[in-house]
Amino acid sequence: MLNALAANLHIIAALYGAIYLLAAICAVREVMASRTSQGSIGWLTSLAFLPFPTAFIYLVFGWKHFDDYARTQLNLRLSRPIRSEELQVIDRDTGKQWPVLLHTSGAPFLAGNQPQLLVDGQATFDAIFAGIAAAQSYVLVQFYTIRDDRLGRQLADCLIERARAGVEVWVLYDDIGSQGLPRAYRERLRDEGIQVAGFNQRHKFLRFLGPMRVNYRNHRKVVLIDGKVAFTGGLNVGVEYLGEEKRFGPRWRDTHLRLEGPAAMSFALIFREDWQWATGEEITLPAADALETVGDSPALVMATGPADRIESCAIAFTDIISQARERLWVVSPYFVPDTDVRTALYAAAMRGVDVRVMLPEKPDHLLVWLASNAHADDMVKHGISIYRYTAGFLHQKVLLMDDRIVSVGSVNFDNRSFAINFEITVWMTAPTTIASVEAMLLADFANCRQIDSEEVATRSSLQRFIHQAARLFSPVL
């Protein structure tokens, strides 16, 4: 054994040298790209004292590199001609009230929209399939998860029917979220002339030889019909979203949004950016004949992700929290807020704001749920009301602030959504829309149990230890 080691000492030394060199490269990268000193110190300490396997873990979870996406985004936005009628639907008065949203989204509020809340899976997919069936020009489809199950095959049938009718169809999915999607499903769509791509398909090599991007996922859910009607929210394509998964019971509680009007065209630009980065191909979409104002709701479509120059998503939500004066109702299945968001929530409670956070009673991702429990207990200690939804699994992502603004989208209250994933959110300010969200959430609160300080105090030492241990993983959950 010793002779073998001695004979191969030069190989072992070379491996050690390569690992330390990789660790040094990662350390330099972390120093140059650091946004928080706490996280960077953790990475640098681990890289120095335990270069293996920390260097390889860093490539997956720490190396953020989406400069090429940012260039794609910039080129598309600069080269896109602005039509005069688009300028006419910009709602500058609403925009003046929300300057942070304007800056973080890089998009304006657009007037004249008609939003419709879609509660749970059946209503959502009935509306989506009806929208696809009415498509005359093109359909854009993007989901984090697409499954080859009854619902996924129904989606494929709808798209194929439109493709045979001459409608152009594009489908974009996330490689991690849809990792079980078989090739036969994709090939069936392609055989019908439908363009299909995985978000990382052009960058697979980079998953293994730095920088890896497996940790950065496209979590957006978008369906756009002819540039006029858009759908987004919390639902993916799988029968569990219809309440047909025994593990979660008969009800999967989720919310999607049907948005008709000028703001729908924002989804086309976002999809084009994602598609071009994923495939290298630019989509040319026919312009709508006219931008019809069909309602009275201003809407701003905010797309955020790791290519952003600043932490756009976190800044936007923190600003909304800081402006709350009467109530702030947050619904999220994954609640793992960072220090800034926690501080903003605590401050809101101290101002006397009715701060409520609705979370699932049951877990679907155990580690996230355990970490969420630790954060939720801290919220209770700071006077924030925590509600656990008991009528099924809760997956909606909704925010209501005062009587001023609401949001529906794909963003969870965790670091992954705020800083790691590509996400999408629609902000709306019309009183009728706010009233609809309020009524929906009041019905949901009626199906919740509230966590009180007595329950938190009776947690066993083992429970608290497990929750706090899971909380340590908050930055990557």
Side-chain angles (χ1 to χ4, degrees):
M1 181 68 174
L2 291 176
N3 290 336
L5 287 174
N8 295 288
L9 192 60
H10 62 291
I11 297 177
I12 296 172
L15 287 174
Y16 267 95
I19 290 172
Y20 272 95
L21 177 61
L22 178 59
I25 293 171
C26 291
V28 171
R29 170 69 184 180
E30 179 59 29
V31 170
M32 298 302 295
S34 174
R35 285 186 173 177
T36 63
S37 58
Q38 301 95 323
S40 294
I41 291 297
W43 279 119
L44 294 173
T45 301
S46 298
L47 287 166
F49 292 100
L50 195 65
F52 179 83
T54 304
F56 297 97
I57 295 173
Y58 183 86
L59 287 177
V60 177
F61 294 106
W63 193 305
K64 174 179 179 267
H65 186 80
F66 278 94
D67 294 343
D68 49 354
Y69 185 98
R71 286 193 296 272
T72 296
Q73 188 178 60
L74 182 63
N75 291 338
L76 276 176
R77 296 193 179 190
L78 288 179
S79 62
R80 177 178 176 271
I82 305 297
R83 300 159 61 192
S84 60
E85 58 183 357
E86 292 178 22
L87 296 175
Q88 293 173 10
V89 297
I90 293 177
D91 190 334
R92 292 178 175 80
D93 290 338
T94 300
K96 289 177 182 178
Q97 300 175 42
W98 308 100
V100 174
L101 291 183
L102 297 187
H103 284 287
T104 53
S105 67
F109 274 92
L110 298 179
N113 302 284
Q114 180 60 58
Q116 177 188 357
L117 292 177
L118 301 171
V119 177
D120 292 335
Q122 196 62 57
T124 295
F125 286 101
D126 284 349
I128 288 175
F129 293 153
I132 293 173
Q136 298 298 312
S137 179
Y138 66 88
V139 178
L140 308 180
V141 176
Q142 178 177 11
F143 284 98
Y144 175 67
T145 300
I146 300 177
R147 302 200 191 283
D148 184 19
D149 57 16
R150 180 179 66 80
L151 185 63
R153 289 189 288 273
Q154 188 176 354
L155 172 64
D157 291 342
C158 289
L159 296 176
I160 289 171
E161 188 278 327
R162 284 291 83 197
R164 290 176 177 175
V167 173
E168 294 186 272
V169 181
W170 287 266
V171 176
L172 184 63
Y173 61 89
D174 184 82
D175 305 75
I176 301 301
S178 302
Q179 58 185 327
L181 189 66
R183 178 179 294 180
Y185 183 99
R186 291 169 281 164
E187 290 304 320
R188 182 188 173 211
L189 295 177
R190 291 186 179 118
D191 288 344
E192 298 289 345
I194 295 172
Q195 301 295 313
V196 184
F199 185 64
N200 261 323
Q201 72 173 28
R202 197 163 60 105
H203 307 273
K204 288 182 178 180
F205 180 73
L206 296 176
R207 295 182 188 175
F208 302 99
L209 297 177
M212 294 186 182
R213 310 196 196 211
V214 68
N215 190 43
Y216 299 96
R217 300 154 196 181
N218 198 313
H219 193 240
R220 295 169 184 159
K221 293 91 172 167
V222 171
V223 176
L224 179 63
I225 313 297
D226 296 338
K228 298 179 180 180
V229 179
F231 299 86
T232 193
L235 289 105
N236 288 295
V237 183
V239 295
E240 65 267 35
Y241 293 86
L242 298 176
E244 297 180 15
E245 174 61 58
K246 293 181 180 179
R247 184 161 64 102
F248 300 110
R251 188 176 190 197
W252 180 288
R253 177 66 190 92
D254 221 326
T255 298
H256 228 66
L257 179 73
R258 180 186 187 274
L259 185 65
E260 182 177 2
M265 68 182 181
S266 302
F267 290 86
L269 178 60
I270 295 162
F271 187 95
R272 289 178 64 208
E273 293 168 355
D274 285 351
W275 184 270
Q276 185 165 333
W277 186 83
T279 67
E281 303 168 359
E282 185 172 348
I283 295 177
T284 301
L285 299 174
D289 295 335
L291 289 176
E292 299 179 5
T293 56
V294 296
D296 61 355
S297 178
L300 182 148
V301 181
M302 181 177 75
T304 56
D308 294 349
R309 182 177 54 85
I310 57 175
E311 300 282 2
S312 300
C313 190
I315 292 171
F317 277 88
T318 303
D319 176 65
I320 295 298
I321 295 169
S322 68
Q323 293 197 51
R325 291 298 179 268
E326 297 176 1
R327 61 179 174 178
L328 179 74
W329 297 354
V330 175
V331 188
S332 177
Y334 313 117
F335 184 73
V336 192
D338 64 11
T339 301
D340 292 339
V341 175
R342 289 199 308 273
T343 301
L345 290 170
Y346 296 159
M350 292 176 186
R351 290 195 301 272
V353 175
D354 173 21
V355 182
R356 305 185 193 182
V357 179
M358 191 189 307
L359 306 174
E361 175 82 353
K362 300 178 181 179
D364 66 333
H365 298 295
L366 183 59
L367 186 61
V368 181
W369 184 76
L370 292 171
S372 176
N373 290 343
H375 288 285
D377 285 354
D378 281 350
M379 294 288 138
V380 173
K381 295 174 184 176
H382 285 80
I384 293 171
S385 300
I386 298 294
Y387 292 82
R388 294 285 185 181
Y389 187 79
T390 60
F393 181 69
L394 181 76
H395 192 255
Q396 62 175 318
K397 304 94 164 52
V398 175
L399 180 145
L400 166 65
M401 191 270 275
D402 293 349
D403 288 322
R404 298 181 63 200
I405 196 166
V406 295
S407 72
V408 177
S410 66
V411 174
N412 298 305
F413 258 64
D414 60 10
N415 187 62
R416 175 163 292 282
S417 279
F418 283 177
I420 300 175
N421 284 347
F422 292 85
E423 303 282 3
I424 193 164
T425 306
V426 180
W427 298 94
M428 296 163 288
T429 59
T432 51
T433 306
I434 293 170
S436 296
V437 172
E438 177 186 30
M440 179 184 71
L441 295 185
L442 285 173
D444 289 333
F445 282 122
N447 286 309
C448 292
R449 68 180 185 89
Q450 186 173 356
I451 305 299
D452 56 25
S453 55
E454 182 177 347
E455 179 177 339
V456 172
T458 57
R459 305 265 191 238
S460 69
S461 297
L462 179 59
Q463 283 180 308
R464 290 197 298 271
F465 175 81
I466 293 173
H467 294 168
Q468 290 298 329
R471 183 177 181 168
L472 296 176
F473 294 91
S474 293
V476 295
L477 292 177

